[in-house]
C-alpha cells in the first residue's frame, strides 16, 4: 500500500483535489478531530467503498469549544491516527490523503474560543442548532457549521461522511448543505459501539474502566425505550411520556451520573414531540455527565437511538 499523503495547507489540498478532478475520481471525505477509533474507521471504510479516492481531515476545531471546555486537553494522537488510517483498505484501496491544517489555515482572520472576541465569518444553521446539544453548548453548532463549510470549500468532496452518534450534527450539516447549495452528498452511518453498548468516542479516553462499564446504562436505557416504542407503534401515535418514563427507570439508577437532557424529537426538524407518529418516527437522545478519571471534572457522553417509522 502506498504511504498516505499528509497535506498541511489549503493550497496542497486544492492541488490534490484538482488532480482528482482531472482524473474524474469521486472523492470521499471524512472530517474528524483525530484520536481515531472504530467509529471513525467505519466512516472511512464506507468512503473507501463508495469513492475512487478518500481523504480524512484531522483538526481539533477551536470554534466549537467554549472557554471552559476541553480544547487544551482534547486527546491528540496524530502518529497513531496516521498508522490506523494507513492500515485501512477496501478492495486494495486505502486512504490517499490526510489533511492536517493548523488553526490559521482554517481561520485566516484568527480564532479565539471567546465568542464575543471572535472576528471573521461564521455560519449559523438556524432552527436546528439551538435545542438539545445547542442548549447546553450555545457556540457548538456555529463552530461545527463554520468549520465544515470551510472544509467543504477546500475539499469539494463528492461524498462526505458523518456518524449517527452525533445526531443533531447530522441534521445541522444536512441543512447547511441544502441551504448553501453545496454540491456534495451527506452520508450518515450507524453508531459504532463498545461490546457493552457504550458509543465509541474520543472522549471515552477520559473514563476509568469502572465508569466505562457503568456507562453502558446509557444505551441500555435508550434501547428499553425503543423496545417499548416498537411494541406500541402498531396501535397508532405513541405518547412520548411513556417512552421517557421507561428510559428514566434505567438511566437515573446511577447516582454519580447527571442526566443533562433526555428528549424525543422529530428526526428531521428536531422539534420536541409530545407524541410519535409511527409514519414519521423520532429520535430519542440524551447527554449524561459522568466523572472523569483524572480530575474532579465530568465529561459529557451523548447518545441516541432512532425510533424508526413503520
Ligand atoms: P469527531 O472526531 O468526534 O469530531 O468525529 C468525527 C466523525 O466521526 C463525526 O461524523 C462523528 O459523528 C463520527 N463518529 C464519532 N464517534 C462515532 C461512533 N461511535 N460511531 C460512528 N461515528 C462516529
Amino acid at each position: 500500500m502506498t504511504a498516505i499523503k499528509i497535506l498541511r495547507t489549503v493550497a496542497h489540498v486544492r492541488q490534490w483535489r484538482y488532480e482528482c478532478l482531472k482524473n474524474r475520481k469521486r472523492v470521499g471525505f471524512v472530517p474528524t478531530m483525530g484520536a481515531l477509533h472504530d467509529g471513525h474507521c467505519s466512516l472511512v471504510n464506507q468512503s473507501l467503498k463508495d469513492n475512487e479516492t478518500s481523504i480524512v481531515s484531522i483538526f481539533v476545531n477551536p470554534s466549537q469549544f467554549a472557554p471552559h471546555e476541553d480544547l487544551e486537553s482534547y486527546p491528540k494522537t496524530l502518529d497513531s491516527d496516521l498508522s490506523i488510517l494507513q492500515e485501512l483498505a477496501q478492495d486494495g484501496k486505502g486512504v490517499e490523503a490526510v489533511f492536517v491544517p493548523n488553526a490559521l489555515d482554517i481561520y485566516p482572520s484568527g480564532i479565539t474560543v471567546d465568542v464575543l472576541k471572535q472576528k471573521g465569518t461564521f455560519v449559523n444553521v438556524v432552527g436546528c442548532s439551538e435545542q438539545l446539544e445547542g442548549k447546553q453548548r450555545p457556540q457548538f453548532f456555529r463552530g461545527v457549521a463554520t468549520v465544515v463549510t470551510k472544509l467543504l470549500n477546500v475539499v469539494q468532496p463528492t461524498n462526505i461522511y458523518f456518524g449517527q452518534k452525533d445526531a443533531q450534527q447530522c441534521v445541522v450539516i444536512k441543512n447547511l448543505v441544502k441551504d448553501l447549495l453545496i454540491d456534495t452528498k451527506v452520508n450518515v452511518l450507524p453508531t459504532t459501539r463498545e461490546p457493552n453498548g457504550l458509543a465509541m468516542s474520543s472522549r471515552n479516553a477520559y473514563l476509568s474502566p469502572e465508569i466505562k462499564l457503568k456507562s453502558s446504562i446509557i444505551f441500555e436505557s435508550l434501547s428499553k425505550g425503543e423496545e417499548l416504542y416498537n411494541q406500541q407503534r402498531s396501535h397508532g401515535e405513541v405518547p412520548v411520556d411513556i417512552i421517557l418514563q421507561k428510559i428514566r427507570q434505567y438511566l437515573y439508577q446511577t447516582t454519580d451520573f447527571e442526566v443533562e437532557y433526555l428528549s424525543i424529537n422529530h428526526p428531521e426538524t428536531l422539534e420536541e414531540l409530545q407524541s410519535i407518529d409511527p409514519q414519521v418516527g423520532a429520535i430519542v437522545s440524551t447527554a449524561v455527565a459522568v466523572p472523569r478519571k483524572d480530575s474532579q471534572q465530568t465529561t459529557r457522553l451523548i447518545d441516541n437511538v432512532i425510533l424508526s417509522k413503520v
Side-chain angles (χ1 to χ4, degrees):
M1 190 89 61
T2 45
I4 295 179
K5 294 182 185 68
I6 301 175
L7 308 174
R8 294 193 178 268
T9 66
V10 168
H12 281 124
V13 179
R14 291 220 157 107
Q15 208 175 345
W16 173 83
R17 180 67 182 96
Y18 179 64
E19 291 303 318
C20 298
L21 196 67
K22 271 203 316 199
N23 295 311
R24 293 170 180 263
K25 287 181 177 173
R26 277 171 299 187
V27 173
F29 176 38
V30 182
T32 80
M33 298 211 299
L36 301 183
H37 51 68
D38 286 355
H40 297 112
C41 294
S42 75
L43 308 189
V44 176
N45 280 325
Q46 189 62 45
S47 174
L48 293 171
K49 277 187 200 147
D50 295 344
N51 304 281
E52 279 82 31
T53 187
S54 293
I55 180 167
V56 174
S57 64
I58 297 179
F59 177 62
V60 181
N61 174 38
S63 71
Q64 69 193 61
F65 288 79
H68 67 276
E69 291 180 347
D70 57 341
L71 174 61
E72 292 308 321
S73 62
Y74 195 85
K76 294 171 189 81
T77 57
L78 183 61
D79 289 345
S80 77
D81 290 348
L82 293 173
S83 324
I84 289 170
L85 293 174
Q86 186 70 58
E87 291 302 309
L88 297 177
Q90 294 287 324
D91 305 325
K93 245 184 321 169
V95 174
E96 200 177 322
V98 182
F99 181 30
V100 192
N102 66 37
L104 262 184
D105 266 309
I106 298 295
Y107 293 95
S109 306
I111 187 69
T112 160
V113 291
D114 183 346
V115 172
L116 295 175
K117 293 189 181 145
Q118 286 174 350
K119 292 192 182 108
T121 306
F122 293 87
V123 179
N124 239 334
V125 184
V126 179
C128 55
S129 298
E130 302 79 13
Q131 56 279 67
L132 303 170
E133 279 301 287
K135 213 172 197 171
Q136 309 291 327
R137 307 180 72 190
Q139 79 302 333
F140 179 69
F141 288 114
R142 177 176 177 268
V144 168
T146 300
V147 78
V148 171
T149 304
K150 287 165 180 271
L151 292 170
L152 280 166
N153 281 337
V154 178
V155 178
Q156 299 185 25
T158 323
N159 285 295
I160 187 165
Y161 296 85
F162 292 93
Q164 177 60 36
K165 148 111 188 337
D166 299 285
Q168 189 173 7
Q169 174 167 285
C170 295
V171 173
V172 168
I173 302 298
K174 280 183 178 167
N175 279 293
L176 160 76
V177 164
K178 180 183 74 175
D179 292 338
L180 295 184
L181 313 174
I182 296 176
D183 188 15
T184 192
K185 178 169 177 238
V186 178
N187 299 268
V188 176
L189 295 183
T191 304
T192 304
R193 299 180 178 281
E194 302 282 357
N196 72 359
L198 173 65
M200 287 192 177
S201 163
S202 305
R203 288 193 170 96
N204 290 357
Y206 299 149
L207 308 180
S208 67
E210 184 206 350
I211 294 294
K212 259 192 186 170
L213 211 65
K214 279 192 187 175
S215 300
S216 62
I217 194 68
I218 299 171
F219 180 56
E220 213 175 301
S221 335
L222 296 178
S223 302
K224 293 287 180 191
E226 183 190 16
E227 242 170 65
L228 181 60
Y229 166 76
N230 288 343
Q231 287 160 13
Q232 299 288 319
R233 67 182 178 181
S234 54
H235 308 308
E237 295 250 334
V238 183
V240 300
D241 285 350
I242 62 162
I243 309 291
L244 292 177
Q245 201 182 353
K246 185 74 179 180
I247 296 172
R248 283 192 199 110
Q249 273 175 23
Y250 296 87
L251 191 57
Y252 284 75
Q253 270 173 12
T254 313
T255 47
D256 46 359
F257 287 10
E258 191 204 334
V259 179
E260 288 185 1
Y261 63 81
L262 169 67
S263 182
I264 297 185
N265 298 67
H266 188 285
E268 277 145 34
T269 64
L270 295 183
E271 175 203 351
E272 199 171 329
L273 299 175
Q274 299 305 317
S275 67
I276 308 162
D277 177 351
Q279 304 295 327
V280 177
I283 175 153
V284 52
S285 54
T286 190
V288 182
V290 309
R292 273 177 70 147
K293 67 178 173 196
D294 50 358
S295 71
Q296 298 300 318
Q297 291 168 332
T298 55
T299 194
R300 305 174 69 254
L301 300 179
I302 61 168
D303 203 350
N304 67 84
V305 161
I306 294 172
L307 304 179
S308 34
K309 54 185 173 187
V310 283

